[in-house]
Amino acid sequence: MLKTYSLTKDTLLVSSESNIKNSSIVYVYGDEREYSESFEHKYDLEIGNILTFDDQVAYDTMIDRNDEKSLLVSFLFPEVHEGGHLHNLMTSIVFLVFKNKLIIFTKQKLKFIPELLSNMVLRDVNNFIEEVLLKIIQKDFHVMLNHLRGVKEKIDDLESEISTSGSLRPTFGDLLTLQKYMIALSTTYGANHKALDFIKKHFTTINDIDFTTKKIIGGIYNTSNTMDRIILGYSQYLDDLEDMINNMISYQLNMIMKTLTEISIVLTIPTIIFGFWGINVDDPFEKSSYGVFAVLIISVILSLICWLWLRRKKYW
């Protein structure tokens, strides 16, 4: 699928897909191999591989036949959702940055991109490509930060679940899911930081770059650093939480084994008594019609004495 946007005065407006060549911004997602392959052949790129193997970022400088310099840069975007496997918790966003054109590629549609581009008001129409790119990256980082805050809520829910119901089996599933998210998020943030360094290097070498653009780049860096600190804290907390769950399970297992051992000790006494009265020799109460009840009473009394003794010794 293709979505195209044209610059009208200082505003980006949705344009016809048939007017791709004259569009200022083109967003490509889904199965549009023919369009992406035209750039792959022209600039010797591997856009399809970048989108398929979304575990690292790519960045490079492209030079065309007219010595016009363009940029290729990709970012990773985490997709935090329930039941996701590790290989589909991230997706790549590829940018081709030309002098007067920006092309965006993603494997599947990311809602925040067309929402941001539609009716976007630009501050500097002379450098609108840099401004649009930075605003998309800025929005990308804000969405990632919101995902990270959502993980915090999941951690709080997991902690509440442990406090109320103990370390049950579903808790392990929730913990593994959160740890999987942490892996995806930390991988995403670390890779994006390198791509951000590449953008900063090429944008800040422009002599007439204005203060607002520098401020946007600085703000993105601050957001990235904030996410790095938060992800580190959450990861450490999840590790501590895992240790606590393991300790709780070990304690519960010890208590179960202790209870079973004490029950075995108490039940051993009736077993010995019944075995003693079952031997083929003369025994007390053998001739009595109440002998069975007497043996049972003796077994109960001795078992109670054993139980009270264990309680006194604090073995119970």
Side-chain angles (χ1 to χ4, degrees):
M1 296 291 291
L2 289 171
K3 283 189 174 294
T4 56
Y5 305 85
S6 298
L7 180 63
T8 303
K9 293 184 179 181
D10 61 348
T11 305
L12 283 178
L13 299 176
V14 179
S15 59
S16 172
E17 294 181 7
S18 60
N19 195 26
I20 296 177
K21 191 172 183 179
N22 296 324
S23 298
S24 303
I25 311 292
V26 179
Y27 177 35
V28 185
Y29 60 92
D31 189 16
E32 288 290 343
R33 288 297 303 160
E34 183 178 352
Y35 186 74
S36 60
E37 285 174 356
S38 63
F39 291 97
E40 291 180 344
H41 294 311
K42 184 177 181 179
Y43 294 100
D44 192 22
L45 301 175
E46 296 182 349
I47 299 175
N49 288 341
I50 297 173
L51 294 175
T52 301
F53 303 105
D54 46 7
D55 54 359
Q56 62 182 0
V57 297
Y59 39 86
D60 197 5
T61 302
M62 304 179 298
I63 305 294
D64 63 14
R65 296 176 182 177
N66 299 321
D67 292 332
E68 191 76 34
K69 185 173 75 171
S70 307
L71 301 179
L72 162 71
V73 60
S74 73
F75 280 81
L76 296 181
F77 182 74
E79 294 186 299
V80 179
H81 51 81
E82 296 293 339
H85 297 286
L86 200 57
H87 69 273
N88 62 4
L89 286 178
M90 295 176 288
T91 188
S92 292
I93 307 175
V94 179
F95 299 97
L96 294 183
V97 186
F98 301 97
K99 184 177 181 181
N100 293 308
K101 196 179 193 71
L102 176 65
I103 304 174
I104 309 162
F105 295 90
T106 60
K107 188 163 54 176
Q108 59 268 350
K109 182 179 179 181
L110 300 180
K111 292 183 179 180
F112 79 90
I113 293 180
E115 290 175 357
L116 181 65
L117 292 176
S118 299
N119 300 318
M120 177 188 288
V121 178
L122 301 171
R123 176 183 44 79
D124 184 6
V125 294
N126 295 321
N127 296 300
F128 74 96
I129 295 297
E130 290 86 350
E131 184 177 350
V132 171
L133 175 61
L134 288 176
K135 284 186 175 181
I136 293 176
I137 296 173
Q138 189 178 41
K139 180 65 175 180
D140 182 4
F141 275 74
H142 284 163
V143 173
M144 289 191 291
L145 185 58
N146 289 334
H147 281 175
L148 191 56
R149 288 167 178 160
V151 171
K152 177 182 180 298
E153 295 178 0
K154 293 180 182 294
I155 293 176
D156 292 337
D157 293 340
L158 177 60
E159 185 178 3
S160 300
E161 182 180 352
I162 294 173
S163 300
T164 55
S165 61
S167 51
L168 303 176
R169 183 176 179 181
T171 303
F172 276 109
D174 295 339
L175 180 61
L176 289 175
T177 299
L178 286 173
Q179 288 178 328
K180 185 167 55 178
Y181 289 164
M182 289 297 104
I183 293 174
L185 292 173
S186 60
T187 301
T188 300
Y189 300 157
N192 285 350
H193 205 90
K194 294 181 180 179
L196 191 57
D197 290 339
F198 177 79
I199 292 248
K200 179 183 178 182
K201 175 182 176 182
H202 284 81
F203 278 17
T204 54
T205 53
I206 303 174
N207 294 328
D208 60 349
I209 190 170
D210 59 15
F211 173 77
T212 304
T213 302
K214 291 182 179 179
K215 188 174 180 181
I216 292 176
I217 294 176
I220 296 174
Y221 265 102
N222 290 335
T223 304
S224 178
N225 293 332
T226 298
M227 289 189 295
D228 288 340
R229 290 193 299 270
I230 293 175
I231 198 86
L232 179 61
Y234 287 178
S235 297
Q236 291 176 346
Y237 183 79
L238 281 178
D239 290 340
D240 294 339
L241 197 60
E242 183 179 15
D243 292 338
M244 184 184 73
I245 292 175
N246 290 332
N247 291 336
M248 289 177 62
I249 292 210
S250 297
Y251 175 77
Q252 290 178 351
L253 182 59
N254 289 337
M255 292 301 296
I256 292 173
M257 294 304 297
K258 176 185 174 185
T259 302
L260 292 176
T261 301
E262 292 164 347
I263 292 173
S264 298
I265 293 173
V266 173
L267 293 180
T268 299
I269 295 175
T271 302
I272 294 174
I273 294 174
F274 296 154
F276 174 76
W277 255 277
I279 60 179
N280 293 323
V281 296
D282 293 336
D283 295 317
F285 313 120
E286 186 178 2
K287 305 296 184 180
S288 174
S289 58
Y290 298 100
V292 174
F293 298 104
V295 173
L296 289 175
I297 292 172
I298 292 173
S299 300
V300 171
I301 292 174
L302 292 178
S303 297
L304 286 175
I305 292 173
C306 179
W307 179 75
L308 293 173
W309 180 76
L310 290 174
R311 287 286 301 265
R312 185 175 180 183
K313 293 293 184 180
K314 296 183 179 180
Y315 293 139
W316 194 275

